[in-house]
Each structure stands twice: as C-alpha cells, then as structure tokens.
Amino acid sequence: MRMFFTDREEDVALHELDNGNEPLLPSQRNLYLPRLYDYVLVADKVEDMEDRIFKKQDAFICELKQKNIKVTRIEDAGKVFFGVCAPEEIFAKYKYLLKVSDACNWSGEQKCDLSVSLCTRIRIVHFVLNNTFIGSGEGLRDLLCQGAFESIFCLHEKKEQKKLKKKWASWLAVMKLFQQPVTDIKDYFGEKVALYYLWLGWYTRMLVPAAVIGIVVFLYGLAFFNTSPLIHEVCDSNIIMCPRCDIRCSVWDLSDTCTYAKVSQLFDNEGTVAFAMFMAIWATLFLELWKRHRALHVSKWKVFDWCEEEEELILEIVNNPKCKPKEFRHSYLRSIVVLLLVTLVLVVIIGLTHALVICRVLTAILLSQSTWQFLCDHSSTIAMLSGAVLHYITIQVMTRVNKIVAFKLCEFEKPRSFAATEKSFTVKMFTFQFFTLFSSLFYVAFFLGRINGYPGNYVRIAGKWRLEECHPSGCLTDLFIQMAVILLLKQTINNIFEFTVPWLKLCFKRTKAKTMRRKCGNCYRKACREEEGNFDPCDLCKLRNWMENYDLNDVNAFSLFNEFLEMVLQFSFTTIFVAAFPLAPLLALINNIFEIRLDAIKMVSLERRLVPKKTNDIGVWTRILEAVGVMAVIANGLVIGISSDFIPRLVYRYHYGPCATSNSTSLDCMTGYINNTLTTAFMSNVYVKKDFKDLIEKGYNITQCSYKDYRSDEDQSLTSQFWLILALRFAFVVLFEHVVVMCKFIAAWFIPDSPIRVKNDRLDDKLRRLKKELEEATAMYNSRSTEV
C-alpha cells in the first residue's frame, strides 16, 4: 500500500486537529523526518532466507552497520526500503582532512567553510556506499547489476525544491530569459550541475549577437532577391540542361530552377564570407569570456583551488583508514588496442554514410520512375529530404549503439577512477557522435557533385546507377537542406521526447498510487493513533516522501553528460557549417531559451535527485569546445572556398566578365556568369550518345544539352579557367584559415582567463591565511616556552 498527500491536505488535517475533530493526518511535527536519511536503497522482497539474493542483501547491510551506518528496514507492496543514515564521525573526519589539505580555498578573514553542507553530506555517503564491498568482493554496483538491489536514490528537500520551482524550474521563468539562480542550484545540486547551467546560460546569451548578425546576412540576401542579375539570368534562360538520371529523366530548362536560385541567394552571397569569419572568432571569444565568467563564480563558491585527486584521497581515507592509494597505470598495448577499436567504429560510421548515399541515389531513381509527375519532376529534391530524414533516424539509432560501444571500451581501458572513466567516455562518445552527425554533412559539402563525372563519362555505383548530382541551384543548397532538416528535427523531436516521456511515466505512477489513498487514510485514523491522543505514524506514513522520490524517473552518473553532449553537438552545428546556414544561431538561441527551463523542470520535478558533484570547471568539455572552434575555421573556409560559388564569381567579375574584358559600364559585371559556368555536351559524341541512349530512343530530338562544369565543348577536357579557379579556391582557404586563426590567437591572448579582481582576491586570501597560520604557530611556540 502507498499513501500520497498534498500540502493542502496536511493543512486541513492540522486544522481539524485544532478544532478537536478526528484528523485525517497526524501533525507534521510528529512525523518521521525523511531528511534524517541520506540515501534509500530499494530491493525486491525475498522470502527465502537461503536465497542467494537475500544473502547478498543481508551481507551488504551488515557491512554498512559495521561502519556505524544506521539502516532502517521497511517493507511495502513487495518492496523492501532501506533508509541509510551515516554517523557524524564520518563527516567529522572529512572536515578535519579538508582543513589540513591543500584543496581548500580560502576567503576573507575566515577559513574555507568547513561545515558539511547537505550536498557534501550526500556526496560523502554516496562514495561510502559505492566503496562498500561484501566478502566476495562485490560492491553496490555489482549488486545492482545482479538484482540484489533495484535502485538507490537520495531524497529531494521539499523546501528547497519549491524554492527552485518558483525561481527557476517553471515555464513562467522563461520570461526571465538569461536569469538563473546558479548559487541556489549549486547549493542544491552541487557545483557540477550549477556549472552546466552557468555554461548553458552564458552560451545562450552569447548566441544573441550571432543570431542578430545571421539575420542581417539573411536579410542582405533577401534585399537583392529580385534585383540580382544571376537570378534574372537563370529565370530568363532558354538553355536546355542534360538529364539528371538515366531512366525516365528528360532534358529540362534551366529556367525551371528559378525559385531554387532565389532561395540559394539568401545564404550564398558575399555576406556569408564575413559571417563565417565572425562565427569563427565568435567561438574563441565565447570560450575565453566563459573562462572569465567561470572564474568569477568558482571563486565565489570557494572551489577555485579545489583538487579532484586530493578530495578522492580524503574520501578514501574517510571510508577506510587502512586504504591504499589507487596508483596511476598506463598500458601501451591496451591503448593501441583501444585506438584500433575506435578506428574500426569510425570506419563503420563512415560506411553508414556511404550507405545513405546509395539510399539517396536509389530513391532518386525510383522517384524518377514514378507515374506521379510531381515526384518525377522533383525526384532529386525529395531524395535529398528523405536522405536527411533517414540520416536523423540513423543518428537516433547510432546514439544508443555508440553509448554501448563507448562504455565497453572504457571498461576495457580500466581507468583509475570514476572521473577518469567519465573523461574517457566523454571523448569517445563525442567522437562517435560527431562522426555520426557530420560524416554525411561532410560528404554533401565537399564531395557531392564533384565526383559524379560528366556526360559520356559518368561515375556509376556497381556500373549501374549514376551518382547523385548537386541541386540545380548549386551544391550549397543541398547542404542547407540537410542542415535545416537535421537541426529542426533533432531539436524539436528530442525536446518533445525528453520532456513528455518522463512526464507521462511520472503521471502513470502517481495515478496508480492514488488508488491506495483511501485505505491508507483509514490507517492514519485508527492504526496510527494511540489512546492518549498522541500520534505514532506507521511505516507507510514514514515512507510517504521515500515513495514520492522512488516513483520519480531514475537518473544515473551520466544523466548530466547527456545534456552536455546535446548542447556541445548543437554548438558544433552552429559553428562548423554556419556558412551554409546563417540562421543556425537563431534556431539554437530559441531552442536554448526553452531548453534551460525544460532541463530545470525535468531535474527538479520529474527526476530523482542527482548526486551532487564538486568541481571547478566543465572538465574535458572545454578541450572539446576548443577543438570544435578549430574545426569550425577549417570547415567554413572549405565551404566558402570549395562548396560555394564565391570564388568563381570573383574570378568571373575581375577576369572573364564584361567589366574585365571591355570598358563598357552599361552591363552588370556579373552578366553572362551563368552561361560561363556551363559546358555543352553534343549528341554527336559517341560516349555522350551512349549515356543518353534511352532519351534518344524515346524520340527526343535534341542535338545538345548543357551541364555545370568548366570543360571544353569539343573534347570535354578541363579548361584553364577551371585550374585558375581551383588554385584560387585553395589559396582562399589557406588565407582564410591563417587570418581567422591569427585573430583567434590574438583574442585568446588579449582576454585573460581570470579577471584581475579574482586574482587579487585570491592573493589577499592566501596572505591572510599565511598570517593567521603564523600567528597560531607563534602562539603555540610561546605557550610551549612558558611551560618549559
């Protein structure tokens, strides 16, 4: 049986007690206080005392009791709840060791806060529980895996929970935009969670200028939407283009792509270059300013000099005074094996990208054979859209596969501590996810339409199917479609499932529990009342808060990792291919404003309480963000130099266009550009005629068609203009990367990681500490001299 009552019901019960009526609930003051327990272990009830599971449960509880840990056992509905309360001596030892260690930061005239906060208490007990082993050498994690225990959780504090709901974890708080009570979050969830929300809030705030400039670039393209000579040249053209596939594809007019050419102008224009440079520098400024922002808060929280290894040693000694340090070890053989296995996984992921390419090719062929004229006419576009959706599905499946593989590789590595395991897992999981998400985008950006050949010499898969070509309006359009679909689907669907699934689970559990209220209410009236009028709640009443926490959605040590991974991958999308999608920062900004509150509501109201972790940085994520910033410079330089038409347009304007070949100013400098980028294939060529055999057999009376490339009309050899453009493309990429990297280094040098105020405060604190220690040592020396 279970019992749940709201605060309003408790107030009514207390009011009835004051009026002399029989109350439904006993006084809250006399209830068993759940906060007296640090953790709750839950297990299935086992009747057979000779059962292996029962013996392991009993052995573990006995080990806890030998450490003077108080354990209260309460049974309910086939479950056994063990309330765990650690003795004060454990925390006294921790406080003393923290005092004499170097990991304690100092502030003002007093030493670091040596009182054990609730977060610290929970963290210490969590360490003790996870490092308690039974006679067979099995620990709590092993017992959880074997089913001896079902779960373990720490309790939410209702008062603090309500405070966070009011100030932070509610949809009304969305109106506050960037305001977050990070200190309150730190006091309740620990520094690690607080730093995540601090980083997410800072990232969201820094997206504002990026989103504004992205909108300006988009509007810049929109301003020349109807006046661009390139658009007019496409829309007014009578050029016949070569078929895009072999079967049931006919020649088509270039003017058919008028709409697509207008859309392409919105993000493939001169402003894109400046925006890509800005975003590369923005990524550096974001990281450098974040380091300063972090320094201010960790200094305020007194964890600036916190050392993870030293606190780990303190916890080891508190748990077992006879413990031995876990030594650092490194195996070159093991590292080589892990490296080879990681490489194998990446090869498989890249192989999936090739599979997606084949799927898009086959989809385009099947659609081109459709009897529905709309599908036949837009087969390439629909194939690209379906490929993007299929890529999203692949991402969702591979995310689960990648997580399993990364865990197995970490187990094989045998890291020294959980922190080392987390770091190793983070690097591997991000690498796998990055390749899963971006391998297809890299193909679209740098290979699509460049390796498919030309009429008379098409590249075919298995000698049958022609490789897909770029969108008629340009290769950058394909990258734009791919990014837009993945980013919108990933953010929208992920957020919906991320919130609704835990919410529906919780609603189902609470609805099931409400059916038992009335029976437990009778228990409150009769069984829990003594003759004198005093109330002694039964075990079910004591378990009320435990059960409320038990019914919440489970969390694990990597719950926060999932949130970080989602945001860092979004940061990668926002920076790496931003040249193809200037509105990406705007979409990220809108998403993050809601993401902060969604994660907050989920963490405070829908999930069990996370184990507080102490830290002074976001860890290896900083290095990953720096690596993403470098990749953003390279990728955007390649997108502008290789994928976009920026360089060919410049070459035409200043070398081949009307402004370069004549003194006439009556024509726009870009007049004739579209025709200049096309090559004519003549049906008189034997190889061209063979490629378009089906077209000729159907009675199409054409003698020539055009395709986009810089080749000679006579022998289809590459022209000198192709080689000039190719040389300038690579020159631009090298120049772009060097200039942007130089700007990044200057920005990183110019902005110090820690504000001067923080440095001076720490200097003063250390000076006061040394003076105080000298005074204590002097007083001790004088007292000894007096005794002598």
Side-chain angles (χ1 to χ4, degrees), residues 334-348 405 408-409 412 432:
R334 199 178 293 271
S335 299
I336 292 172
V337 172
V338 170
L339 182 62
L340 291 175
L341 291 175
V342 168
T343 305
L344 178 62
V345 174
L346 296 182
V347 169
V348 171
V405 173
K408 294 297 182 182
L409 289 175
F412 179 76
F432 295 157

Side-chain angles (χ1 to χ4, degrees), residues 675-780:
N675 191 52
N676 178 260
T677 62
L678 301 177
T679 301
T680 303
F682 295 96
M683 296 301 168
S684 57
N685 187 305
V686 177
Y687 298 104
V688 174
K689 190 174 183 179
K690 182 179 178 181
D691 274 339
F692 300 139
K693 178 179 60 176
D694 294 339
L695 189 67
I696 296 173
E697 291 176 353
K698 290 178 181 178
Y700 284 94
N701 186 20
I702 54 172
T703 58
Q704 65 185 47
C705 62
S706 299
Y707 61 97
K708 192 172 183 179
D709 206 348
Y710 293 99
R711 293 184 177 273
S712 169
D713 293 340
E714 289 76 19
D715 57 1
Q716 294 185 319
S717 62
L718 295 171
T719 63
S720 59
Q721 185 176 355
F722 169 83
W723 296 110
L724 174 62
I725 291 174
L726 182 65
L728 290 177
R729 283 183 189 274
F730 284 111
F732 171 81
V733 171
V734 173
L735 181 64
F736 177 88
E737 290 177 358
H738 280 70
V739 169
V740 175
V741 168
M742 187 180 299
C743 293
K744 285 169 67 69
F745 279 127
I746 292 173
W749 166 80
F750 188 75
I751 303 173
D753 292 349
S754 297
I756 298 299
R757 185 181 70 185
V758 172
K759 292 181 179 179
N760 289 333
D761 288 345
R762 293 182 61 238
L763 190 64
D764 291 340
D765 293 343
K766 288 181 179 179
L767 182 62
R768 291 192 187 98
R769 184 194 67 174
L770 292 173
K771 286 181 177 180
K772 191 173 185 64
E773 288 185 351
L774 180 60
E775 290 175 1
E776 292 176 355
T778 303
M780 186 180 298

Side-chain angles (χ1 to χ4, degrees), residues 563-577:
E563 308 298 340
F564 250 123
L565 180 64
E566 180 184 355
M567 288 297 101
V568 173
L569 288 174
Q570 185 208 79
F571 176 81
S572 304
F573 263 103
T574 306
T575 53
I576 289 182
F577 287 119

Side-chain angles (χ1 to χ4, degrees), residues 44-75:
D44 291 321
K45 185 178 179 180
V46 180
E47 300 289 350
D48 186 5
M49 298 180 64
E50 297 299 322
D51 189 85
R52 180 177 60 89
I53 296 297
F54 180 86
K55 289 181 177 180
K56 289 188 176 184
Q57 288 179 6
D58 187 62
F60 186 78
I61 298 302
C62 290
E63 288 292 333
L64 293 181
K65 290 180 178 178
Q66 287 181 7
K67 295 182 178 181
N68 295 325
I69 295 176
K70 177 185 174 182
V71 180
T72 301
R73 175 190 171 104
I74 301 178
E75 297 180 5

Side-chain angles (χ1 to χ4, degrees), residues 425-637:
F425 175 78
T426 299
V427 173
K428 290 179 179 61
M429 186 63 185
F430 175 79
T431 303
F432 295 157
Q433 285 297 93
F434 183 86
F435 272 79
T436 302
L437 265 70
F438 286 93
S439 54
S440 181
L441 293 177
F442 272 99
Y443 166 77
V444 172
F446 306 124
F447 297 99
L448 178 64
R450 293 171 179 79
I451 57 174
N452 59 318
Y454 53 90
N457 190 26
Y458 282 119
V459 177
R460 300 176 184 274
I461 299 174
K464 292 183 178 181
W465 306 301
R466 273 173 54 182
L467 281 178
E468 55 186 340
E469 297 184 5
C470 285
H471 196 275
S473 62
C475 296
L476 211 60
T477 304
D478 296 285
L479 184 59
F480 165 77
I481 293 173
Q482 191 91 350
M483 280 195 65
V485 171
I486 293 174
L487 194 60
L488 287 171
L489 282 178
K490 192 173 185 302
Q491 291 189 161
T492 305
I493 297 179
N494 279 15
N495 283 344
I496 290 174
F497 277 95
E498 187 179 342
F499 181 79
T500 55
V501 171
W503 180 75
L504 290 174
K505 284 183 179 179
L506 184 60
C507 288
F508 174 76
K509 290 179 181 178
R510 286 181 173 173
T511 302
K512 185 179 178 182
K514 284 179 181 178
T515 59
M516 304 179 184
R517 278 190 177 183
R518 186 178 300 276
K519 190 172 182 180
C520 197
N522 293 332
C523 166
Y524 270 111
R525 291 183 190 173
K526 298 177 182 179
C528 294
R529 188 183 64 186
E530 296 180 357
E531 295 181 0
E532 294 81 3
N534 296 322
F535 294 93
D536 182 20
C538 67
D539 288 344
L540 285 177
C541 303
K542 296 176 184 178
L543 273 173
R544 183 183 58 179
N545 193 32
W546 294 8
M547 292 175 178
E548 287 177 352
N549 284 268
Y550 172 69
D551 283 337
L552 294 174
N553 293 280
D554 195 14
V555 293
N556 55 57
F558 292 95
S559 295
L560 190 63
F561 164 84
N562 297 328
E563 308 298 340
F564 250 123
L565 180 64
E566 180 184 355
M567 288 297 101
V568 173
L569 288 174
Q570 185 208 79
F571 176 81
S572 304
F573 263 103
T574 306
T575 53
I576 289 182
F577 287 119
V578 72
F581 194 21
L583 295 180
L586 176 63
L587 294 180
L589 173 63
I590 296 172
N591 174 80
N592 289 4
I593 290 174
F594 292 95
E595 178 78 23
I596 292 174
R597 308 304 164 182
L598 186 150
D599 288 346
I601 295 171
K602 185 177 66 174
M603 196 172 289
V604 174
S605 303
L606 303 180
E607 293 180 341
R608 295 174 183 172
R609 187 174 181 178
L610 280 171
V611 178
K613 299 285 186 180
K614 180 171 285 190
T615 186
N616 59 3
D617 200 357
I618 59 175
V620 72
W621 290 114
T622 302
R623 302 298 180 191
I624 291 175
L625 290 170
E626 290 174 349
V628 170
V630 174
M631 286 188 286
V633 176
I634 299 172
N636 282 300

